[in-house]
Amino acid sequence: MLVLSGRGQEFANRVSLESGQPVQQCYQCGKCTAGCPAASFMDYAPHQVIHLVQLGLEEVVLSCRAIWVCTSCYTCTARCPCRIEVARIMDILRARARRKGLHRGQRAALFADLFLDSVRRHGRLHELELGARWGLSTGQPWREADLAAGLVAKRKLRLRPPRIKGVEEVRRIFREAARLEEGEHG
Amino acid sequence: MRRIGVFCCWCGSNIGGVIDVPRLAMEALNLPAVAFSTDYKYMCSEPGQELIVRAVAEHRLDGVVVAACSPRIHEATFRQTLERAGLNPYLLVMANVREHCTWVHPDDPERAFAKALALVRGAAAKAARTEPLAAGTLPVTRRALVIGGGIAGIQAALDIADAGFEVLLVEREPTIGGKMVLLDKTFPTLDCSACISTPKMVAVAQHPRIRLFTYAEVVGLKGFLGNFEVTIRQKARSVDHGKCTGCGACWAKCPARVPNEYNLGLDRRKAIYVPFPQAVPNKPVIDRRHCRQFTRGRCGVCQKVCPVGAIDYAEEDREWQERVGAVVVATGFDLFEWAEAYGEYGYGRYPDVITGLQFERLANAAGPTGGKIVRPSDGAVPRTVVFVQCVGSRDEAKGREYCSRVCCMYTAKHAWQVLEKIPEAEVFVFYIDVRTAGKAYEEFYVRARRAGAHYIRGRVARIYPEGNRLRVVGTDTLLGRPVEVPADLVVLATGMVPAAGSGELARILGCGLDKDGFFQEAHPKLRPVEAGTAGIFLAGTCQGPKDIPDTVAQGSAAAAKVVGLLVREEIAYEPTVAMVDQTRCTGCGKCRAVCPFKAIELVTRQVRAGTAVAERVVAEVNPGLCAGCGNCTVACPSGVIDLKGFTNEQLLAEVDALCL
Amino acid sequence: MVRYAYYPGCVAEGSGREYEMANRAVAARLGLELVEIEDWNCCGATPGHNTGHLLGLALPARNLALASGMGLDLVAPCAACYNRLVTAQREIACDPELQVLMGRLLGRDYHGDRRVLSMVEAVAAVGAERMKALTVRPLEGITVACYYGCLLVRPPAVIRGDDPEDPRLLDDLLRGVGATTVDWAHKTECCGAAQALPHEEVVLSRVRRILEAAVTFRADCIATACPLCHANLDQRQARVNRRFGTDYRMPVLYFTQLLGLAFGLNPGELGLGLHFVPTAELVRRIA
């Protein structure tokens, strides 16, 4: 049972402001969900995610699996009759979930972390490294072995990490972006 | 011997593609009294009709059967053809061999032919017994009665009066204005309801051709289209409005305080009162149910303070008759009595559970709180307001199956008003569907949502007090989760029901009601402002729930219908009406009981029975009212009522011939 | 000769190697000079904007600034890179405050004034006439299901040009070199994108639907313009077959590979031996 009270409006307003999207305008037609490639794998469908935001159920929406199963395909955004950029709201929710530490245990969050860590360290993505660390972190090191073997055989997996001269600039971007976002949402 | 002509139409392939039409015409020639028959591709076409005209002359026909489509389509056409041929139009009989035969039996041409022939046989048998009938005319009383002084009645009265006809406007409350004048702002434009309706009220009062009777009721109606006689009862106001100046001394001093119905019980008024400052007329009446002079037999304060001696405790109800040619029913609606039906919402026990109309009064600057939205229980400003839609609508279990049409919009408006007037307020709207079919309505609803109203799809199961707040228990069907809202104020969007007394008025007027008790229109699409009874018209919510624009439109539409009637000096009526053989009528009155149009009365007449002449009570049909339905002919135990054009003799002959 | 600043993207040297090979070869044939941006960095892709709004803008912004320094319009063959570059460029251009912020994040002045093109747009800009003139082995008799995916067409407010529900640019290009393209409903249905590792079930179910649709339309192959789509459709096709008991053998080619074949380029030069789903038979039919 969900109790609706208190500062619901405030959360919805914050998300609206941060995303630039009129969340309250959604009338729950469900077209976002209807076109969503991942909806059947979500705990809350996209229109329900928006509804949870409308109702100010911050805890529920930031802890849900749906925002992490989203593929960022923008189908919802392209089709929303209320011109709400749903995918943009998903971004905002993921970022908020991260700031509250609610992303832990979400596989997509882990993937993003490993991906970006590789970029931060080399300036570009090192696919082999990402694959290896993913396997180790998820405790399933052999899960992608067949594909990896195929890639190696076709020389489609670079063994040595890339290295760019401006890697310090890239690290600066990571550092400054994190600092600014932290400051903004404190 | 009659000379009947039979004209068989192919209707292109509609009939001709199934049966052998020339053969039908040939076989028809063998029927008794048939002097001529022929067939043609399209009998309704110009050459087809000419064929009939020529044949009537050449073959000296005195009756015509057209075997073609439904009489609903072309009976009027062929009646005109007969007139051109010099025959009485009622000497026509149509045999429907299209809808009743070839359209339904396209796969069995042989048996279809047999059926078509049987239909022609029946029609010819009837045709041999037809008589010329003449349409009569009746004079018109060029004056209208409007019942109900809400916005629908006001609009109708003004439009009729502006067209140049006198109008009697009868309102049972002490003022006109109805429900609209109680509203605060109107969706979707948010203009002030009183600001746009009070000028119309004043216009009614000042119109030279409108006679306004407030605190009055229609208690009787006799007569028929163009010639009604209405009985009006003026309830005793106990105040002589001729003398009264409306100074207000009486209600200032009156010691009795009673719940104020114009503020929906949210505050109190005096026993002598003007309902609200803009009332028309702006003079008081004494509410005798609560006045101490009447309940206790002593008081007299108002009489003592009245400077002009206008108070008259002895005044009595007065009844009189007026003649009118048309009647507009505009009796409006009441709100569903939710407190009697919804135990789950507390049966009205919790003061902070109110109706939408009460909310209007709270939001209205002229209301009991001066426009401040507060809780009736403690006057506190509510922070969380819950709206519950469809209370007493779309709820078969509570006896109201229909959608009340206006609640979605007024709830959106209320939600918006709360968010606008109370900073930090939170609004939840429980709904089943949101219906916004009107110009700029959807946009308004979106505006309410944008303002922050939380819409939750699902009905509320229960409302109960929790401390000094309310707990609203519902479900969110979009999330598939039960939800609860701790609320400060709950507003129920109660649906519209027919105004109290609609049933009694319908009985007086001889009008039908629909299954929900609203006045029944003659046709849901094509005659939406006409009652089933000729000369009676419907305007506004008495016919079904509707919003202000639709109500005003219907008021004007009813007025246009009335004006269309009153511009005529006299009106013709169809001659196919019932006719009583008064020499054999026993005066039992069974016919009167079954007549839906109140067209039959029992009258005392000199009647000849055999050679003797005696004064007897017999049934008499008013041809202006009779719609020719035939109920009475069936009900008459002596079989002495006939419907002209469909007499017992004609019908029996037709059936006999069919069954050959 | 038209010169472009070229942004290969991270997978160009790895899992998207055949795309890179085909792009380079076809560009050379078309007279497009692709000047690789020196020291370009990863655009952050989906993980970037999923993690932080500013991060998702600043990583592509650095590349935009580099291209601007070269004074050349920018071509990004990968749909995801293209999408991030365009998004960052548009968003920053609309918000002066963001422009200042970018300066702080990049440690240099931000300029993003050069056009960003997808590989499809860059090729299309060459013109149908010239393409036709270069075609030596028209793809006649070859039925192609053009698969645009998400990031080449959405969100429409940012990625303008082609119709987001029924894009035609790829179809026009391939029809221009003689192929038949199918009018199917799955042109822009998402393949599951970056969820291949975190939520493979999403990708497998989506890929299955796309493959099934292509089979229904009797396509000989699927053409794509995105290494991520390609990886999901090609590399994981065997897994789809294992999971659902199907037997898809649908070659998935980059559109530049098909163009290259039509231009008579050597299949090896176009990386056509690097696919998981064999392409040999299709290549034989063309060559």
PDB file of all heavy atoms in Angstrom, chain B residues 25-41:
ATOM      1  N   ALA B  25     -47.296  -7.737 -60.904  1.00  0.00           N
ATOM      2  CA  ALA B  25     -48.334  -6.829 -61.385  1.00  0.00           C
ATOM      3  C   ALA B  25     -49.454  -7.618 -62.074  1.00  0.00           C
ATOM      4  O   ALA B  25     -50.646  -7.326 -61.911  1.00  0.00           O
ATOM      5  CB  ALA B  25     -47.725  -5.800 -62.331  1.00  0.00           C
ATOM      6  N   MET B  26     -49.041  -8.636 -62.817  1.00  0.00           N
ATOM      7  CA  MET B  26     -50.037  -9.435 -63.541  1.00  0.00           C
ATOM      8  C   MET B  26     -50.949 -10.165 -62.575  1.00  0.00           C
ATOM      9  O   MET B  26     -52.171 -10.168 -62.707  1.00  0.00           O
ATOM     10  CB  MET B  26     -49.325 -10.433 -64.446  1.00  0.00           C
ATOM     11  CG  MET B  26     -49.931 -10.492 -65.824  1.00  0.00           C
ATOM     12  SD  MET B  26     -48.639 -10.561 -67.039  1.00  0.00           S
ATOM     13  CE  MET B  26     -48.137 -12.268 -66.838  1.00  0.00           C
ATOM     14  N   GLU B  27     -50.334 -10.806 -61.591  1.00  0.00           N
ATOM     15  CA  GLU B  27     -51.125 -11.568 -60.617  1.00  0.00           C
ATOM     16  C   GLU B  27     -52.065 -10.651 -59.839  1.00  0.00           C
ATOM     17  O   GLU B  27     -53.157 -11.040 -59.441  1.00  0.00           O
ATOM     18  CB  GLU B  27     -50.195 -12.305 -59.640  1.00  0.00           C
ATOM     19  CG  GLU B  27     -49.284 -13.298 -60.326  1.00  0.00           C
ATOM     20  CD  GLU B  27     -49.704 -14.734 -60.073  1.00  0.00           C
ATOM     21  OE1 GLU B  27     -50.646 -14.930 -59.280  1.00  0.00           O
ATOM     22  OE2 GLU B  27     -49.095 -15.630 -60.694  1.00  0.00           O
ATOM     23  N   ALA B  28     -51.603  -9.403 -59.598  1.00  0.00           N
ATOM     24  CA  ALA B  28     -52.409  -8.468 -58.827  1.00  0.00           C
ATOM     25  C   ALA B  28     -53.733  -8.167 -59.525  1.00  0.00           C
ATOM     26  O   ALA B  28     -54.749  -7.868 -58.881  1.00  0.00           O
ATOM     27  CB  ALA B  28     -51.634  -7.165 -58.589  1.00  0.00           C
ATOM     28  N   LEU B  29     -53.683  -8.283 -60.862  1.00  0.00           N
ATOM     29  CA  LEU B  29     -54.885  -7.999 -61.640  1.00  0.00           C
ATOM     30  C   LEU B  29     -56.030  -8.939 -61.290  1.00  0.00           C
ATOM     31  O   LEU B  29     -57.207  -8.629 -61.495  1.00  0.00           O
ATOM     32  CB  LEU B  29     -54.535  -8.111 -63.137  1.00  0.00           C
ATOM     33  CG  LEU B  29     -55.144  -7.102 -64.092  1.00  0.00           C
ATOM     34  CD1 LEU B  29     -55.141  -5.688 -63.527  1.00  0.00           C
ATOM     35  CD2 LEU B  29     -54.397  -7.141 -65.405  1.00  0.00           C
ATOM     36  N   ASN B  30     -55.680 -10.117 -60.743  1.00  0.00           N
ATOM     37  CA  ASN B  30     -56.711 -11.097 -60.385  1.00  0.00           C
ATOM     38  C   ASN B  30     -57.374 -10.803 -59.052  1.00  0.00           C
ATOM     39  O   ASN B  30     -58.305 -11.501 -58.656  1.00  0.00           O
ATOM     40  CB  ASN B  30     -56.102 -12.505 -60.322  1.00  0.00           C
ATOM     41  CG  ASN B  30     -55.509 -12.899 -61.663  1.00  0.00           C
ATOM     42  OD1 ASN B  30     -56.008 -12.473 -62.698  1.00  0.00           O
ATOM     43  ND2 ASN B  30     -54.439 -13.675 -61.631  1.00  0.00           N
ATOM     44  N   LEU B  31     -56.835  -9.809 -58.318  1.00  0.00           N
ATOM     45  CA  LEU B  31     -57.362  -9.575 -56.967  1.00  0.00           C
ATOM     46  C   LEU B  31     -58.688  -8.823 -57.044  1.00  0.00           C
ATOM     47  O   LEU B  31     -58.921  -8.059 -57.980  1.00  0.00           O
ATOM     48  CB  LEU B  31     -56.352  -8.768 -56.147  1.00  0.00           C
ATOM     49  CG  LEU B  31     -55.004  -9.459 -55.937  1.00  0.00           C
ATOM     50  CD1 LEU B  31     -54.015  -8.510 -55.266  1.00  0.00           C
ATOM     51  CD2 LEU B  31     -55.185 -10.725 -55.088  1.00  0.00           C
ATOM     52  N   PRO B  32     -59.562  -9.029 -56.028  1.00  0.00           N
ATOM     53  CA  PRO B  32     -60.852  -8.362 -56.038  1.00  0.00           C
ATOM     54  C   PRO B  32     -60.667  -6.836 -56.053  1.00  0.00           C
ATOM     55  O   PRO B  32     -59.769  -6.336 -55.385  1.00  0.00           O
ATOM     56  CB  PRO B  32     -61.520  -8.794 -54.728  1.00  0.00           C
ATOM     57  CG  PRO B  32     -60.668  -9.831 -54.124  1.00  0.00           C
ATOM     58  CD  PRO B  32     -59.388  -9.912 -54.866  1.00  0.00           C
ATOM     59  N   ALA B  33     -61.490  -6.177 -56.779  1.00  0.00           N
ATOM     60  CA  ALA B  33     -61.567  -4.724 -56.868  1.00  0.00           C
ATOM     61  C   ALA B  33     -60.386  -4.098 -57.601  1.00  0.00           C
ATOM     62  O   ALA B  33     -60.341  -2.893 -57.779  1.00  0.00           O
ATOM     63  CB  ALA B  33     -61.723  -4.079 -55.482  1.00  0.00           C
ATOM     64  N   VAL B  34     -59.397  -4.896 -57.999  1.00  0.00           N
ATOM     65  CA  VAL B  34     -58.258  -4.316 -58.711  1.00  0.00           C
ATOM     66  C   VAL B  34     -58.635  -4.140 -60.177  1.00  0.00           C
ATOM     67  O   VAL B  34     -58.961  -5.099 -60.866  1.00  0.00           O
ATOM     68  CB  VAL B  34     -57.004  -5.184 -58.572  1.00  0.00           C
ATOM     69  CG1 VAL B  34     -55.890  -4.662 -59.475  1.00  0.00           C
ATOM     70  CG2 VAL B  34     -56.542  -5.193 -57.121  1.00  0.00           C
ATOM     71  N   ALA B  35     -58.611  -2.883 -60.629  1.00  0.00           N
ATOM     72  CA  ALA B  35     -59.054  -2.577 -61.978  1.00  0.00           C
ATOM     73  C   ALA B  35     -57.874  -2.378 -62.920  1.00  0.00           C
ATOM     74  O   ALA B  35     -58.023  -2.387 -64.133  1.00  0.00           O
ATOM     75  CB  ALA B  35     -59.912  -1.323 -61.953  1.00  0.00           C
ATOM     76  N   PHE B  36     -56.694  -2.160 -62.329  1.00  0.00           N
ATOM     77  CA  PHE B  36     -55.542  -1.864 -63.168  1.00  0.00           C
ATOM     78  C   PHE B  36     -54.289  -2.212 -62.392  1.00  0.00           C
ATOM     79  O   PHE B  36     -54.251  -2.084 -61.166  1.00  0.00           O
ATOM     80  CB  PHE B  36     -55.530  -0.372 -63.517  1.00  0.00           C
ATOM     81  CG  PHE B  36     -54.278   0.056 -64.245  1.00  0.00           C
ATOM     82  CD1 PHE B  36     -54.130  -0.216 -65.611  1.00  0.00           C
ATOM     83  CD2 PHE B  36     -53.258   0.713 -63.575  1.00  0.00           C
ATOM     84  CE1 PHE B  36     -52.964   0.170 -66.265  1.00  0.00           C
ATOM     85  CE2 PHE B  36     -52.100   1.098 -64.244  1.00  0.00           C
ATOM     86  CZ  PHE B  36     -51.960   0.821 -65.599  1.00  0.00           C
ATOM     87  N   SER B  37     -53.281  -2.693 -63.107  1.00  0.00           N
ATOM     88  CA  SER B  37     -51.996  -2.834 -62.425  1.00  0.00           C
ATOM     89  C   SER B  37     -50.876  -2.768 -63.441  1.00  0.00           C
ATOM     90  O   SER B  37     -51.048  -3.105 -64.605  1.00  0.00           O
ATOM     91  CB  SER B  37     -51.932  -4.130 -61.612  1.00  0.00           C
ATOM     92  OG  SER B  37     -51.393  -5.155 -62.380  1.00  0.00           O
ATOM     93  N   THR B  38     -49.713  -2.295 -62.932  1.00  0.00           N
ATOM     94  CA  THR B  38     -48.555  -2.197 -63.822  1.00  0.00           C
ATOM     95  C   THR B  38     -47.284  -2.187 -62.986  1.00  0.00           C
ATOM     96  O   THR B  38     -47.340  -2.191 -61.746  1.00  0.00           O
ATOM     97  CB  THR B  38     -48.630  -0.914 -64.679  1.00  0.00           C
ATOM     98  OG1 THR B  38     -47.593  -0.955 -65.645  1.00  0.00           O
ATOM     99  CG2 THR B  38     -48.474   0.344 -63.831  1.00  0.00           C
ATOM    100  N   ASP B  39     -46.137  -2.214 -63.673  1.00  0.00           N
ATOM    101  CA  ASP B  39     -44.863  -2.145 -62.949  1.00  0.00           C
ATOM    102  C   ASP B  39     -43.986  -1.077 -63.581  1.00  0.00           C
ATOM    103  O   ASP B  39     -44.222  -0.661 -64.716  1.00  0.00           O
ATOM    104  CB  ASP B  39     -44.152  -3.497 -62.979  1.00  0.00           C
ATOM    105  CG  ASP B  39     -43.738  -3.893 -64.385  1.00  0.00           C
ATOM    106  OD1 ASP B  39     -44.634  -4.281 -65.177  1.00  0.00           O
ATOM    107  OD2 ASP B  39     -42.532  -3.772 -64.706  1.00  0.00           O
ATOM    108  N   TYR B  40     -42.972  -0.630 -62.800  1.00  0.00           N
ATOM    109  CA  TYR B  40     -42.065   0.386 -63.315  1.00  0.00           C
ATOM    110  C   TYR B  40     -40.767   0.326 -62.527  1.00  0.00           C
ATOM    111  O   TYR B  40     -40.743  -0.071 -61.363  1.00  0.00           O
ATOM    112  CB  TYR B  40     -42.704   1.788 -63.202  1.00  0.00           C
ATOM    113  CG  TYR B  40     -41.933   2.830 -63.974  1.00  0.00           C
ATOM    114  CD1 TYR B  40     -41.949   2.812 -65.370  1.00  0.00           C
ATOM    115  CD2 TYR B  40     -41.193   3.809 -63.319  1.00  0.00           C
ATOM    116  CE1 TYR B  40     -41.220   3.749 -66.092  1.00  0.00           C
ATOM    117  CE2 TYR B  40     -40.468   4.750 -64.029  1.00  0.00           C
ATOM    118  CZ  TYR B  40     -40.481   4.714 -65.423  1.00  0.00           C
ATOM    119  OH  TYR B  40     -39.755   5.640 -66.128  1.00  0.00           O
ATOM    120  N   LYS B  41     -39.681   0.749 -63.187  1.00  0.00           N
ATOM    121  CA  LYS B  41     -38.343   0.637 -62.560  1.00  0.00           C
ATOM    122  C   LYS B  41     -38.244   1.431 -61.259  1.00  0.00           C
ATOM    123  O   LYS B  41     -37.805   0.914 -60.236  1.00  0.00           O
ATOM    124  CB  LYS B  41     -37.271   1.147 -63.528  1.00  0.00           C
ATOM    125  CG  LYS B  41     -36.947   0.166 -64.634  1.00  0.00           C
ATOM    126  CD  LYS B  41     -35.847  -0.803 -64.224  1.00  0.00           C
ATOM    127  CE  LYS B  41     -35.570  -1.795 -65.367  1.00  0.00           C
ATOM    128  NZ  LYS B  41     -34.803  -2.965 -64.921  1.00  0.00           N
TER     129      LYS B  41
END
